[in-house]
Amino acid sequence: MTVSVHGTDSHAEVAPGDIAVGVVIGRASEYFDFFVYGIASALVFPSVFFPHLGKLEGTLWSFAIFALAFISRPFGTILFMWIQRRWDRSTKLTIALFLLGTCTAGIAFLPGFAKIGALSLVLLSVFRLGQGVALGGSWDGLPSLLALNAPKERRGWYAMLGQLGAPVGFIIAAALFAYLSTALSRQDFLDWGWRYPFFAAFALNVVALFARLRLVVTHEYERELGEQQLEPTPVMELFNAKGRHVVIGAFAALASYALFHIVTIFPLSWIVLYSDQSVTQFLIVQIIGATLAAGAVVASGWIADKFGRPRTLAALAAAIAMFSGFAPTLLGGGNVGQDVFILVGFVLLGLSYGQAAGSVTANFGAKYRYTGAALTSDLAWLIGAAFAPLVALGLCAHFGLAFVGVYLLSGAVCTMAALGVNRALKLRS
């Protein structure tokens, strides 16, 4: 680790670039694991774990289990905040590492419904809940530390660095599934090929969490985190003091989180069920879209520093609202329309998601920022993204693609309303 030293070692300062490395490593590994499970939910699990149901029903049940991790994640945050207060940060991250690795490896080795029946569904649900708890426990405070240490005029730039993990994680996960689905027969892919991305996710998360553990327990980081008061606070105390800001923060990023699964996981299920486009071809289009999204995430840092993060988020929420009007037509417009939907959607996702994290966390002040930022993120995922594939597929399959637009529009409206409330509260204070 590189540390900028001024005077003596006791005054060593952690450079923003060093913190950014830890943030990028952590987020990229989390998102890879995240997308491996998400892609498998659309392409694999309906056949492996729900062969006794129709394709649509099996996919809907698969997406229901997919959502469990988002439900359990806030509880994981609360539990592991208590563990950190009772012991320390390294103990918390070590337990989270063990739990996440156990659950991810458990899914990789889990027999399908054909071999152990309903027990496979119970175990899949338990492992998925465990992943959510572990991800809640993996919060290390580095994004908040990065925001506090970044130069004021470049906070948008540094804020987007951790968000790069999303497109990078998706590109790797989608590329793995595209390769395996092409290189293997359909039966081999469903029998054993789909398990390899989970092995890779297990290995990557172990390495990444150990790297983060090695980073955050050093003297310089412990001192910096302590000086910035980035320590856990009791949840009830947080909600009593800053509860409205947790809610505002969760809704402020909703346009981006609503779009997140509408361009990544939901379209895969729609292609499998209702399109003649090959899955591999569609994954390649999504990989191109994610590459564009990575560029858009980088661009969001420059835009936010020039125009301000709240204004940037509001403008992109308006853009997503306009996109919601075209989304149903594009998705129903054959291969070309579907591909345009993916490419445009990913660009909007990159621009908005690049600044979605911690956009209003300054409201928490120093004392509550550590716990407040973690729970705000958890609730944003839960409200905006957890049920997106399930709701979108269920509504669109039964009532038409117009409901994709309705879902996206609702997220955009929530973001603009939350930003408006946040601005009004600031003007009154």
Side-chain angles (χ1 to χ4, degrees), residues 168-215:
V168 171
F170 183 84
I171 289 168
I172 300 172
L176 264 176
F177 275 98
Y179 170 75
L180 289 169
S181 63
T182 302
L184 302 175
S185 68
R186 175 66 177 169
Q187 192 59 48
D188 284 343
F189 177 68
L190 292 177
D191 284 345
W192 53 268
W194 66 269
R195 303 177 188 273
Y196 278 93
F198 283 88
F199 294 138
F202 165 74
L204 184 60
N205 270 310
V206 169
V207 171
L209 273 173
F210 270 121
R212 292 158 66 192
L213 183 65
R214 184 173 179 269
L215 196 65

Side-chain angles (χ1 to χ4, degrees), residues 403-417:
F403 281 90
V404 170
V406 173
Y407 192 90
L408 290 176
L409 181 61
S410 66
V413 170
C414 286
T415 288
M416 289 187 282

Side-chain angles (χ1 to χ4, degrees), residues 313-380:
L313 280 176
L316 287 164
I320 291 171
M322 290 187 286
F323 178 65
S324 70
F326 299 97
T329 302
L330 292 173
L331 263 179
N335 293 1
V336 174
Q338 291 160 359
D339 293 349
V340 171
F341 169 83
I342 291 299
L343 297 178
V344 175
F346 263 109
V347 171
L348 287 174
L349 177 62
L351 289 171
S352 60
Y353 190 67
Q355 298 301 313
S359 56
V360 296
T361 50
N363 293 335
F364 293 116
K367 181 178 180 180
Y368 299 106
R369 185 163 188 148
Y370 184 80
T371 305
L375 283 175
T376 296
S377 176
D378 292 344
L379 293 177

Side-chain angles (χ1 to χ4, degrees), residues 53-270:
L53 301 177
K55 289 185 177 180
L56 174 60
E57 290 75 15
T59 306
L60 291 173
W61 276 106
S62 178
F63 284 160
I65 295 177
F66 172 74
L68 291 178
F70 300 96
I71 297 172
S72 64
R73 185 167 178 164
F75 296 99
T77 295
I78 295 170
L79 171 63
F80 280 92
M81 289 291 179
W82 176 83
I83 289 173
Q84 183 176 339
R85 292 199 309 273
R86 177 67 176 81
W87 287 280
D88 54 35
R89 199 184 316 270
S90 62
T91 300
K92 179 184 83 165
L93 290 177
T94 300
I95 297 173
L97 177 153
F98 179 79
L99 179 59
L100 183 61
T102 299
C103 292
T104 301
I107 294 170
F109 286 107
L110 186 60
F113 187 90
K115 292 187 177 180
I116 60 174
L119 179 60
S120 66
L121 305 182
V122 174
L123 292 174
L124 181 64
S125 300
V126 169
F127 288 142
R128 186 59 178 162
L129 286 167
Q131 283 185 316
V133 171
L135 286 172
S138 69
W139 178 255
D140 50 25
L142 289 180
S144 294
L145 184 60
L146 178 61
L148 292 170
N149 279 269
K152 186 175 181 180
E153 69 280 2
R154 301 200 69 196
R155 284 179 180 168
W157 178 263
Y158 281 99
M160 69 83 187
L161 291 174
Q163 306 300 80
L164 277 172
V168 171
F170 183 84
I171 289 168
I172 300 172
L176 264 176
F177 275 98
Y179 170 75
L180 289 169
S181 63
T182 302
L184 302 175
S185 68
R186 175 66 177 169
Q187 192 59 48
D188 284 343
F189 177 68
L190 292 177
D191 284 345
W192 53 268
W194 66 269
R195 303 177 188 273
Y196 278 93
F198 283 88
F199 294 138
F202 165 74
L204 184 60
N205 270 310
V206 169
V207 171
L209 273 173
F210 270 121
R212 292 158 66 192
L213 183 65
R214 184 173 179 269
L215 196 65
V216 300
V217 299
T218 58
H219 172 71
E220 292 84 5
Y221 275 87
E222 287 286 0
R223 176 184 55 77
E224 190 77 19
L225 288 163
E227 288 180 356
Q228 299 286 0
Q229 300 183 53
L230 292 176
E231 299 294 338
T233 52
V235 173
M236 290 308 299
E237 181 182 337
L238 166 69
F239 274 92
N240 287 335
K242 300 287 184 178
R244 65 182 181 183
H245 294 302
V246 174
V247 176
I248 290 170
F251 280 92
L254 217 59
S256 179
Y257 284 83
L259 182 60
F260 202 93
H261 285 152
I262 296 299
V263 297
T264 54
I265 308 305
F266 161 71
L268 275 173
S269 65
W270 191 261

